[in-house]
Amino acid sequence: MKIENVPLLPANSLVGDYVRGRKEAMLFFPYAPFEESSYGKRLEWLYSRSYPHRDRLADGLYAYNQSIGNHPFALSQIAKLRERGLVVIAGQQAGVLTGPLYTIYKALHVILAARRLEERYKVPVVPVFWIAGEDHDLDEINHLYLPGDEGIRKIRMELPKAGKISASMLPLDQEACERLVSAFFGEVAETEHTASLRRLVREAARDARTPADWFARIMAQLFGKHGLVFVESSCPFIRELEQPVFQEIIRQNERIAAIIGEADARIRRAGYPPQLQIDPRQANLFLYVDGQRLLLEREGDRFQTKDGRFACSREELLRLLADDPRRFSANVVSRPLMQEFLFPTLAFVGGPGEIAYWAYFRELFAHFGFEMPIVLPRMSVTLVEGAIARHLEQLSLDLPTVLQRFDAWKQEWLARMDADAAAEDLLTQFSAVRQEFQSRYQPLVEQVIQFDRGLAELARKNADRLLAQVDFLQQRVERSLFERHAVTLSRIGRIETALLPGGKWQERVYTYFYFANKHGADLVDRLVELPFSADPDHKIVWL
């Protein structure tokens, strides 16, 4: 495998400006992610603070990682957190069979960044992956895609839709797991790697209790040997440690909403579109009611769910928190606060969407006495297989063109194709015939209508039919022209399916296991050892 760096910017203007270090975007972040001085400042700030819950955090992490079968090396990493250890952290939903490729790249990035920073600054740094297991939008995690001869194929796991049940609370249906695994491996070609991969996911499912647990066990098997530590958002020890932050969120709920609203106004004034949907009534936390994870809203001094099944005063909500913190859950605004409170975070690795909404949090962190960590743009990768590389070479097509302006390139190619001498002459004649027909036949139609208005509809339909026959013949000529270029069109289609499926980057669509089945069950291990640069360039990995 070899790596090529390509300078591609995110489509989101705020994130693009942040990656480039433009001052307009840097107003919303305390640290420039690619400036060395940022890390020295962040280290100084972290070591000026105390984390009295370090031992409780390490105990909980050890127990959880042991329960999911994480590797002994990952378990040994946790000990660093008892004293001066820092973390590089990222998080993601618990997608089936690890979800889209970018989940793998997040984990990879966290490991590589922790290694680099530990070596550079001679401080203990632990790579941590936060599993967002409490997500209740099961339609976002219940499927995967893989490329096929006819385009993209979707395989879905049947998960019950009984309200807003979190992936970490839903009992895992072993039969549904087996159907998904059988469907996936039935769609891909049998290789020397298939048996070991099938065994990995089946054994992980056999020992798992929930979809989030299945995800965690698979990820631990892939990344544990490289020291990646996992935490799942619904772990009881996490909720107990988070209790003081939930308490302040409830007490200062109005102020939090105001701070987020002010950040939204600043983002708009800076010329960027809003990155979050803001509602001043949002309480920015969820509550479990009858097993359902329901968003709370605030009306005056009362808190209630949208469906009205729960309502209480602020004091009653605080008492409920004291009695049972496990019923509370963070949302997109409060989760970063929890992360910063729990972990001595040197850097947070986020995708474009996450970076966009983290732009709202600088003043919110400061209000709680925190400081936003260094926000590192997540490594972005495209895997290019040998057959696709050959197609690119045959078409003299480069990856930046595919990833940034493929539609335009295809239109240019079609224009060149249409420039074939014989085809150009034919198509020009069709255009001339159509114009001549309209100029000569339309006056005749008008005379017929003047002669007998009862023939008006017939005359117009007759003209339309004649034009339709001209169009039909032109389309057949165009189809013949396309068929002459069928080989090239097939290559273009394969490139698009492999690298830009559905108009999206490959990393946002396909699953890791498709590539591991073809290129080796140790694909993650080989990716970890590649010399990825720490810059924001898009990485092309030639398999």
Side-chain angles (χ1 to χ4, degrees):
M1 293 191 293
K2 66 175 184 177
I3 303 173
E4 177 186 349
N5 284 5
V6 178
L8 303 178
L9 288 172
N12 184 297
S13 57
L14 191 159
V15 180
D17 285 352
Y18 174 68
V19 169
R20 287 178 289 196
R22 291 189 171 179
K23 62 180 182 180
E24 295 87 353
M26 292 310 303
L27 292 172
F28 305 102
F29 300 89
Y31 298 109
F34 303 109
E35 290 183 8
E36 202 67 31
S37 61
S38 296
Y39 294 88
K41 292 175 184 176
R42 180 64 178 171
L43 284 167
E44 183 179 350
W45 191 87
L46 286 170
Y47 283 131
S48 71
R49 294 177 58 81
S50 64
Y51 292 83
H53 58 268
R54 278 183 179 271
D55 282 339
R56 292 170 63 196
L57 177 63
D59 289 343
L61 288 173
Y62 192 93
Y64 174 70
N65 281 268
Q66 194 173 46
S67 75
I68 63 172
N70 207 351
H71 194 276
F73 179 51
L75 296 176
S76 71
Q77 291 278 85
I78 296 169
K80 296 177 181 179
L81 291 173
R82 295 189 183 277
E83 295 184 7
R84 301 182 73 251
L86 309 177
V87 307
V88 176
I89 192 168
Q92 189 57 41
Q93 298 163 294
V96 294
L97 295 189
T98 71
L101 276 163
Y102 64 73
T103 302
I104 297 296
Y105 302 145
K106 276 187 176 180
L108 178 63
H109 193 159
V110 165
I111 291 168
L112 297 179
R115 280 184 187 176
R116 181 179 66 83
L117 293 170
E118 184 169 271
E119 181 179 348
R120 171 69 177 83
Y121 294 101
K122 310 303 179 187
V123 296
V125 183
V126 181
V128 176
F129 193 96
W130 179 297
I131 301 170
E134 292 185 284
D135 197 314
H136 55 259
D137 190 349
L138 301 181
D139 285 337
E140 288 191 2
I141 66 168
N142 69 356
H143 60 275
L144 53 84
Y145 296 98
L146 63 162
D149 294 335
E150 302 299 323
I152 308 167
R153 288 177 285 177
K154 182 178 182 179
I155 299 175
R156 192 166 68 90
M157 179 177 175
E158 293 297 331
L159 293 175
K161 297 181 180 179
K164 298 183 177 181
I165 299 178
S166 298
S168 59
M169 305 293 181
L170 185 70
L172 186 63
D173 184 334
Q174 293 292 333
E175 292 183 0
C177 282
E178 181 54 35
R179 286 195 295 271
L180 176 79
V181 172
S182 297
F184 173 78
F185 286 103
E187 289 280 356
V188 299
E190 187 83 14
T191 70
E192 60 185 302
H193 315 295
T194 304
S196 62
L197 292 170
R198 188 189 288 117
R199 184 167 54 252
L200 185 159
V201 298
R202 280 179 170 162
E203 289 178 355
R206 181 195 63 202
D207 297 330
R209 297 172 295 102
T210 68
D213 194 21
W214 189 26
F215 171 88
R217 289 173 182 276
I218 294 174
M219 290 289 285
Q221 290 301 309
L222 294 177
F223 290 102
K225 70 186 77 171
H226 304 291
L228 188 60
V229 175
F230 295 90
V231 61
E232 200 269 293
S233 58
S234 70
C235 289
F237 82 93
I238 289 292
R239 194 65 78 244
E240 291 169 6
L241 290 175
E242 291 173 337
Q243 188 175 16
V245 184
F246 276 119
Q247 188 177 69
E248 291 308 309
I249 290 171
I250 295 169
R251 285 176 173 167
Q252 304 186 54
N253 211 262
E254 293 86 348
R255 182 59 190 142
I256 291 169
I259 291 171
I260 295 299
E262 291 161 5
D264 186 67
R266 283 192 296 273
I267 287 170
R268 293 171 186 265
R269 285 198 299 271
Y272 299 113
Q275 311 294 316
L276 280 176
Q277 290 185 340
I278 303 299
D279 184 343
R281 297 174 301 172
Q282 287 179 354
N284 292 304
L285 51 88
F286 289 89
L287 184 72
Y288 284 99
V289 181
D290 299 326
Q292 310 274 322
R293 183 173 179 254
L294 304 179
L295 187 64
L296 287 180
E297 294 181 339
R298 187 191 65 259
E299 291 287 348
D301 204 42
R302 293 186 63 79
F303 293 78
Q304 62 188 34
T305 57
K306 283 187 176 182
D307 62 6
R309 74 170 75 178
F310 175 88
C312 70
S313 69
R314 192 186 311 263
E315 291 306 315
E316 289 171 330
L317 194 61
L318 287 168
R319 285 197 294 271
L320 183 59
L321 173 65
D323 292 339
D324 192 0
R326 288 175 296 181
R327 288 188 61 184
F328 290 76
S329 177
N331 82 330
V332 66
V333 170
S334 49
R335 197 205 73 82
L337 291 173
M338 302 300 180
Q339 177 180 293
E340 183 63 20
F341 173 76
L342 290 169
F343 293 96
T345 305
L346 180 53
F348 164 70
V349 175
E354 291 167 305
I355 293 172
Y357 68 69
W358 271 64
Y360 283 74
F361 300 152
R362 184 170 185 170
E363 285 72 22
L364 180 63
F365 272 59
H367 179 74
F368 278 81
F370 304 151
E371 183 179 74
M372 278 175 59
I374 297 165
V375 179
L376 275 175
R378 186 246 315 150
M379 178 189 300
S380 184
V381 181
T382 295
L383 303 176
V384 183
E385 298 179 286
I388 300 302
R390 289 191 292 275
H391 291 335
L392 291 169
E393 184 177 0
Q394 289 159 345
L395 294 173
S396 300
L397 184 59
D398 58 55
L399 261 297
T401 298
V402 174
L403 297 178
Q404 289 188 304
R405 51 180 305 273
F406 198 41
D407 281 342
W409 180 89
K410 286 189 294 183
Q411 292 302 317
E412 292 165 5
W413 182 83
L414 287 170
R416 291 196 302 273
M417 184 183 70
D418 287 346
D420 289 0
E424 185 175 10
D425 180 59
L426 272 174
L427 294 173
T428 300
Q429 288 188 55
F430 276 112
S431 179
V433 166
R434 188 181 292 103
Q435 290 177 1
E436 185 174 357
F437 170 81
Q438 289 175 322
S439 65
R440 291 194 173 197
Y441 197 74
Q442 191 60 36
L444 178 59
V445 168
E446 295 301 326
Q447 290 181 38
V448 168
I449 293 171
Q450 288 178 8
F451 175 76
D452 184 348
R453 292 191 176 276
L455 297 175
E457 187 66 20
L458 177 64
R460 292 192 180 102
K461 285 183 177 180
N462 179 253
D464 290 341
R465 287 195 189 100
L466 291 171
L467 282 173
Q469 289 300 312
V470 175
D471 290 340
F472 173 77
L473 189 56
Q474 180 177 346
Q475 289 166 8
R476 292 303 298 265
V477 170
E478 289 174 343
R479 184 190 302 176
S480 174
L481 178 62
F482 269 70
E483 287 170 355
R484 294 184 187 184
H485 297 274
V487 172
T488 301
L489 286 167
S490 175
R491 289 170 181 165
I492 292 172
R494 289 173 184 168
I495 289 170
E496 188 164 25
T497 297
L499 305 182
L500 205 67
K504 299 178 182 178
W505 284 7
Q506 175 197 85
E507 63 182 21
R508 303 198 66 81
V509 179
Y510 295 140
T511 180
Y512 163 78
F513 281 92
Y514 169 79
F515 292 94
N517 183 63
K518 294 180 71 175
H519 301 282
D522 64 343
L523 179 58
V524 154
D525 304 330
R526 288 183 284 135
L527 288 171
V528 169
E529 298 308 320
L530 284 178
F532 287 103
S533 60
D535 57 54
D537 286 352
H538 186 77
K539 276 57 176 173
I540 308 297
V541 175
W542 303 87
L543 296 172

